[in-house]
């Protein structure tokens, strides 16, 4: 009887040891707190941009855990998630956000961006900072006014990927707590003022009799400026007259210089000179950009043609100030 009892006690003892081993605690997983430090995309003056959700994750435990953070886009202040708008006063501009650098997958309230995080193993805890990138484009074919444009997405979420979804809680071994998990994401772009100017055909007074007076002609100037951009045009003859009072020059040794006057509106309208600046029309002509080509007529009047018969010409410089 005694040997049998001994074997039974040994078996019970082994079983109790096995149960005790199963009950021992495993690795201590980190309690992690993550927060959003910024969420922005700035296009500057470009039609493409790269933004990011910047985060900071702190472990108060041993650490050494791996997890994947994710971001879901919030609700745009203007437009829709598929076609949000940036605004500048009364003007707006469409743009798009994407999860990938190829800009083929739109970032939305249900399509997430992701970023892997590893908390280093440390007895005193650890802190990891990083960012999750996203990408943006401003489609062409728009003609926005110059200015600084902004947009805000409220309720943009920082979460963790679990089960293929982006959640704001994570309870599978690793405990994550999010602060500032629902935040505002801002987008900005700058549209600079810009103008181009093209002179039309040469202003020709034609063949003029020596006895003629007050001979006049006109030509056009084409200006294209950014929408709502104020501009001021000045005309400067080759003699640099600020009042638009130029002189024509003949050929060869001809020293005659018939005088002419540049004018706006009509052949008897205001003189058109070159005192305009970026903020004042001076004696020039003012306009406001429409993002389309605008045509402005310039006039010239020759007071007297009583000069040596010849072909006379001058070069007038068109200055656009904006």
């Amino acid at each position: 009887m005694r040997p049998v009892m001994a074997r039974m006690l040994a078996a019970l003892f082994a079983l109790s040891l096995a149960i005790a081993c199963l009950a021992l605690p495993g690795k201590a997983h980190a309690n992690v707190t993550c927060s959003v430090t910024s969420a922005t995309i700035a296009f500057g003056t470009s039609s493409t941009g790269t933004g990011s959700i910047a985060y900071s994750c702190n472990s108060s435990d041993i650490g050494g855990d791996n997890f994947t953070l994710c971001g879901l886009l919030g609700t745009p202040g203007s437009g829709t998630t598929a076609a949000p708008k940036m605004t500048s006063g009364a003007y707006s501009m469409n743009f798009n956000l994407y999860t990938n650098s190829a800009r083929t997958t739109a970032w939305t309230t249900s399509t997430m961006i992701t970023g892997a995080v590893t908390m280093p193993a440390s007895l005193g805890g650890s802190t990891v900072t990083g960012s999750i990138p996203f990408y943006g484009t401003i489609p062409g074919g728009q003609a926005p006014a110059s200015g600084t444009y902004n947009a805000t997405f409220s309720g943009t979420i920082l979460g963790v990927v679990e089960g293929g979804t982006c959640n704001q809680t994570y309870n599978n071994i690793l405990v994550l707590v999010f602060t500032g998990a629902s935040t505002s994401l801002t987008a900005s772009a700058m549209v600079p003022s810009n103008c181009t100017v093209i002179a039309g055909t040469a202003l020709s007074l034609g063949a003029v009799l020596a006895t003629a007076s007050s001979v006049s002609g006109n030509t056009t100037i084409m200006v294209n400026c950014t929408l709502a951009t104020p501009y001021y045009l000045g005309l400067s003859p080759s003699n640099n007259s600020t009042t638009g009072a130029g002189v024509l020059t003949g050929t060869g040794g001809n020293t005659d210089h018939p005088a002419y006057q540049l004018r706006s509106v009509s052949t008897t309208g205001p003189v058109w000179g070159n005192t305009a600046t970026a903020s004042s029309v001076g004696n020039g002509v003012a306009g406001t950009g429409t993002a389309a080509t605008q045509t402005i007529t310039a006039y010239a009047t020759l007071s007297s043609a009583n000069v040596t018969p010849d072909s006379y010409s001058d070069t007038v410089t068109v200055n656009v100030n904006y």
Side-chain angles (χ1 to χ4, degrees):
M1 289 294 292
R2 287 182 181 177
V4 173
M5 288 294 295
R7 285 196 295 272
M8 290 178 63
L9 288 173
L12 289 172
F13 182 65
L15 179 61
S16 66
L17 277 179
I19 294 173
C21 288
L22 289 174
L24 286 174
K27 175 186 173 183
H29 288 273
N31 294 313
V32 179
T33 301
C34 291
S35 60
V36 178
T37 56
S38 67
T40 61
I41 181 170
F43 288 89
T45 58
S46 175
S47 61
T48 61
T50 300
S52 66
I53 294 181
Y55 61 82
S56 176
C57 292
N58 177 262
S59 170
S60 59
D61 213 323
I62 292 176
D65 292 284
N66 301 319
F67 53 93
T68 300
L69 289 177
C70 54
L72 291 175
L73 189 61
T75 304
S78 182
T80 65
T81 302
K85 296 178 182 293
M86 282 183 279
T87 59
S88 177
Y91 302 99
S92 65
M93 179 169 58
N94 296 328
F95 69 106
N96 299 300
L97 297 179
Y98 300 91
T99 64
N100 60 331
S101 59
R103 294 171 171 81
T104 56
T105 303
W107 185 26
T108 66
T109 55
S110 58
T111 303
M112 59 183 164
I113 57 173
T114 59
V117 179
T118 298
M119 301 302 299
S122 173
L123 291 176
S126 58
T127 298
V128 170
T129 60
S131 61
I132 308 174
F134 59 92
Y135 309 88
T137 62
I138 298 174
Q142 301 184 82
S146 59
T148 300
Y149 287 74
N150 294 283
T152 301
F153 295 82
S154 60
T156 299
I157 292 172
L158 176 69
V160 66
V161 178
E162 186 176 23
T165 61
C166 187
N167 303 309
Q168 286 187 281
T169 59
Y170 189 102
N171 296 313
N172 184 14
I173 303 175
L174 179 68
V175 179
L176 276 169
V177 178
F178 292 99
T179 61
S182 181
T183 186
S184 290
L185 182 145
T186 60
S188 63
M190 164 75 154
V191 177
S193 296
N194 184 58
C195 289
T196 57
V197 60
I198 301 173
T201 58
L203 193 159
S204 175
L205 299 177
V208 180
L209 295 175
T211 57
S213 61
S214 298
V215 178
S216 61
N218 64 76
T219 189
T220 56
I221 299 168
M222 279 79 75
V223 182
N224 191 317
C225 289
T226 312
L227 180 65
T229 297
Y231 62 87
Y232 307 101
L233 291 176
L235 296 182
S236 177
S238 63
N239 63 358
N240 296 318
S241 168
T242 59
T243 61
V247 293
L248 300 173
T249 300
T251 61
N254 185 0
T255 58
D256 288 347
H257 294 284
Y260 67 92
Q261 177 64 56
L262 295 170
R263 298 184 182 273
S264 62
V265 182
S266 69
T267 56
T268 58
V271 299
W272 190 345
N274 194 39
T275 63
T277 66
S279 58
S280 173
V281 65
N283 60 7
V285 170
T288 302
T290 63
T293 299
Q294 298 170 289
T295 301
I296 301 170
T297 303
Y299 301 86
T301 302
L302 186 70
S303 58
S304 174
N306 188 19
V307 290
T308 302
D310 200 350
S311 294
Y312 294 86
S313 64
D314 192 30
T315 299
V316 176
T317 302
V318 181
N319 297 301
V320 56
N321 304 276
Y322 59 95

